[in-house]
Amino acid sequence: MIHAEYLRFLQTLNEGTVTDDERKLANLIVQNLDDLIPLGTHQGQRIRAVVQLAQNNWNNLSAEIQPLSEDLAVDNSPITQLKSLSVGPFRGFSREEHFDLSSNLVLIYGPNGTGKSSFCEALEYSLLGNVAEAESKRFRDQQRYLRNAYVDSFSAPKLLGLNAEGQEIPVISDDALYRFCFVEKNRIDNFSRIAAQVPAKQTELISTLFGLDSFTEFVRKFTAEIDPRYIDLVGQKATLLAQKRQALDGAKQQLKTNNAELVRISTDEQALASNYREGSDFNQVVLELLGGDESVGLISQIESELQQPLPIKSSLSLAKLDDLGGKVANHLNEVASIRQELASASQQLSYKNLYDAVTQVQQSSPNNCPACKTPLNRVAVNPFIHSSEELKKLQHLAERQQLLQQLEQTTNQELLLLTQIVNTCCSRFYKNVLTYYQVSPNLQENIEWWNRLQQPSQDGYTVWQHLRSQVQQLEGADKEVAQATQLRATKQTELNRLREFSRNITVLQTQRQTASQAIQAAQRTIANFDVENAQLIADVQAEIASIQRNQTISRAYTKLVARLNFYKDALPAQLVADLGEKVVQLYNSFNRNDLPSELLAKVQLPLAQNQRLEISFQNNPDQFYDPLHVLSEGHIRCIGLAILLSKNLKENCPVLIFDDPVNAIDDDHRESIRRTLFEDQYFSEKQIILTCHGEEFFKDIHNLLPAQSAAQSQSLAFLPKLDESHIRVDFNCAPRNYIIAAREHFDRNEVREALSKSRKAMESLTKGKVWRYVSKFGDGNLSLKLRSHNAPIELRNLSEQLKAKIGKANFSDPDKSKIFDPLNSLVGMSGDSREWRYLNKGTHEENDRAEFDRNTVSTIILALESLDQAL
């Protein structure tokens, strides 16, 4: 199916808007169709294969689209009927079997698994050249699917047919001519779900109804365009060269940018020099601040000066020295005065010490005299009380002693400060006269040391005078250090200012160096580009042809896939175009017993994307409905079958082949479908080949047909397999038509069996054909009596009422005697007629009954044959 449909698609590429490149690619695909069909979109399998095939074969591909094979010679003209089929080894046939198909009606019965599908696949392969089931099961090699597994062999079936002149010719497979000859159960099953699908899915199921689902799936696996991952549309060398040219353009831009940068830097350099000193040049400022080979810069010079250490201050002051000396002299005088006062009161001090001692021992001996241990109650004077009273009298002496201690401590501290001043002077002046008056850390200064400072030295000056002179000198030196410190801070501020200029100079120099280096690099890149990339430039020229070919392939692929998808989407509309009226006729024929409100007036088939299947009924033809909402699944299946049969009629297909499709229809519609096929005139001129697995359906078809037509039909029975693996076929199966069976039994002198079949024939004719005949020309309303609510209609009662209706004077058929006479012969004047008793006795078991009269039986069979022929 995929091959045939793709070949039909190729014929649409002969219009003027299609380029030769698209045709070349289309021919490439058809040449490799078997390899491409199983490939999908996963990891780009199909597109990779297409690209590789196109690149390897592009220059050798033809742009000419070959016509379809229907341009055949005169002796290969289409057939009007199938004649015979020889098949095997093929699928279930392990050896060759020959089927006579010369009848206009070929009926095949067999349970599931007996080989009916293998028979139909042989017809499909012979007529179409492929088997759709093999494609749906992804068999790349159909012969592997069609070979018989038991003998591991395959032989193409041989199908013969009759042409318009009645000549027997081999049938040449042609999908375009014969694809609508087949009606399959699975397609009707899928169609029954069409209304339950989204609108976009419905047109796909129309394709499925006609067996195009494999072609639809095949088209879907073509990506819309070729991904650059799978084809080089630019050129690897060209891409590399373009990247290098981008670098070259970058170099040119760098050259331009950095030249402008140098201009900016020069402007900033002059602004910096002017900011340093008006009228200065940048290079002069750099030389002045940073120095050169022969000169030291101002910054280095100041840094060197600031690195020189400043003298340490002595922090001595002549005024402080004189103040300290005065304090020491005064304090020493006070100490001497107090000591003298205390010496004059030495006796009193002795008593004071005594009284202090007595007071201190009071706690240890509170009840006895501390001197004689006499109890206090015996002494004349309490020593503790007496001591306390006397100490109060001597309190001023204690105060003078405390003052003396404080003065001595203060004087010692002052003398210590003085010794530190002496030490400081000795550390600052070498060969110092004061060196002899230094006090060691382990020696304590005293009044004698102070007195020595007041004595004159050898030069006539006192030591104190020398000390005063040196302190005065150190005080002056401290002033000089303070001035130097202030000057140092000024220099540090200036250095910080100059360093900021230096930093800006460094920034500008770095920027100038960077820009200059970038300019040099860009100039080298520009100057050396053609030389360094000479081979690459040559390679780019060499791959131009290949890239142009790839671009051509890519453009052709995109356009071709778009056309292929458009063709695929348009197929449903093409398949069902102008079928609406015939679909309505057939559907109503399938449902002939329904009320007018249930019969169709119109059907709108989905002809484009996003359209839905819609129907209207005869009672309101302008109101359309979704079949899902108003029809049962069985009725939807009837629409699917009607579409397939309408397509078969429109295409004037010579044969209608059913592979068990009617069993996809519910029981309520089977009789009407049989009547549509075999009673109505739609298919009267068409050969019908029908397979079914239901014996009752098989029997009903035989009895629906006139006995003469049933006798002329070809009936086959596929039998269950025994031990062998070959399909078993009964080419002479027993007739299912009751009249034919009765005649055959009678001819073999099986009189009782002939009567049994005659009784069944009588039931079939009266309940089916005679009753419809009466309803057509007269009053078909009967009053029937039943023995119980579930009892069948009694044949005698039915037959008599039908005969009575036909015998009425107002019955409108002028040739009613052809029906009335044989019916009257069978029924007789009463239930005791010989003919009727024979019909009944032939169906019941009795012992020791009299033999049946052959003449009576012959009369019954002749009457049934006449009745059947007349109807």
Side-chain angles (χ1 to χ4, degrees), residues 657-853:
I657 302 172
F658 287 84
D659 183 11
D660 212 9
V662 182
N663 286 285
I665 308 300
D666 54 33
D667 295 339
D668 295 338
H669 294 95
R670 289 183 181 179
E671 180 183 0
S672 295
I673 291 174
R674 287 194 297 270
R675 293 180 61 188
T676 302
L677 293 174
F678 303 115
E679 281 188 0
D680 298 341
Q681 298 302 309
Y682 297 111
F683 304 96
S684 59
E685 302 299 325
K686 194 182 297 289
Q687 183 183 28
I688 298 177
I689 300 176
L690 184 145
T691 71
C692 68
H693 71 269
E695 186 176 12
E696 289 300 309
F697 185 78
F698 187 63
K699 176 264 296 180
D700 291 340
I701 292 177
H702 278 81
N703 288 284
L704 177 66
L705 297 171
Q708 183 178 1
S709 298
Q712 294 174 352
S713 68
Q714 179 70 31
S715 297
L716 304 171
F718 281 68
L719 305 177
K721 294 180 180 180
L722 298 178
D723 292 337
E724 63 176 340
S725 58
H726 182 66
I727 293 175
R728 298 174 61 227
V729 183
D730 182 1
F731 292 97
N732 298 300
C733 63
R736 265 55 171 188
N737 183 281
Y738 296 132
I739 297 175
I740 296 175
R743 172 60 66 185
E744 288 188 359
H745 283 301
F746 182 80
D747 291 343
R748 293 196 296 267
N749 202 32
E750 298 170 351
V751 180
R752 187 173 184 277
E753 292 300 322
L755 281 172
S756 177
K757 296 295 182 182
S758 297
R759 166 73 184 223
K760 294 180 179 178
M762 182 70 174
E763 291 178 343
S764 176
L765 287 172
T766 54
K767 292 180 180 179
K769 299 180 181 180
V770 178
W771 199 342
R772 288 200 300 269
Y773 166 76
V774 171
S775 299
K776 180 178 180 181
F777 293 101
D779 182 9
N781 297 317
L782 307 180
S783 297
L784 302 174
K785 295 182 180 180
L786 303 178
R787 294 181 179 179
S788 64
H789 72 280
N790 58 353
I793 297 174
E794 292 190 359
L795 181 60
R796 175 70 188 182
N797 187 10
L798 174 63
S799 300
E800 286 179 342
Q801 290 203 41
L802 291 174
K803 186 187 75 168
K805 294 285 186 180
I806 298 173
K808 288 184 177 181
N810 62 351
F811 196 77
S812 61
D813 184 11
D815 295 329
K816 66 180 183 179
S817 60
K818 295 181 179 180
I819 307 297
F820 181 84
D821 292 344
L823 183 60
N824 182 57
S825 176
L826 290 169
V827 177
M829 300 305 294
S830 68
D832 293 331
S833 66
R834 180 178 61 181
E835 291 82 1
W836 188 257
R837 289 197 305 271
Y838 265 43
L839 280 174
N840 276 335
K841 284 187 177 183
T843 61
H844 299 287
E845 179 63 32
E846 293 180 6
N847 295 325
D848 301 324
R849 72 167 68 180
E851 295 296 329
F852 295 109
D853 181 66

Side-chain angles (χ1 to χ4, degrees), residues 187-229:
R187 297 179 185 177
I188 297 175
D189 288 340
N190 290 335
F191 182 83
S192 67
R193 295 187 290 273
I194 185 173
Q197 302 293 332
V198 295
K201 190 72 174 177
Q202 293 193 11
T203 51
E204 295 179 12
L205 285 178
I206 288 291
S207 298
T208 300
L209 184 63
F210 288 97
L212 295 175
D213 46 345
S214 59
F215 178 74
T216 299
E217 185 67 16
F218 167 72
V219 175
R220 280 179 176 168
K221 290 181 179 178
F222 282 103
T223 56
E225 57 187 17
I226 303 179
D227 194 294
R229 292 177 297 174

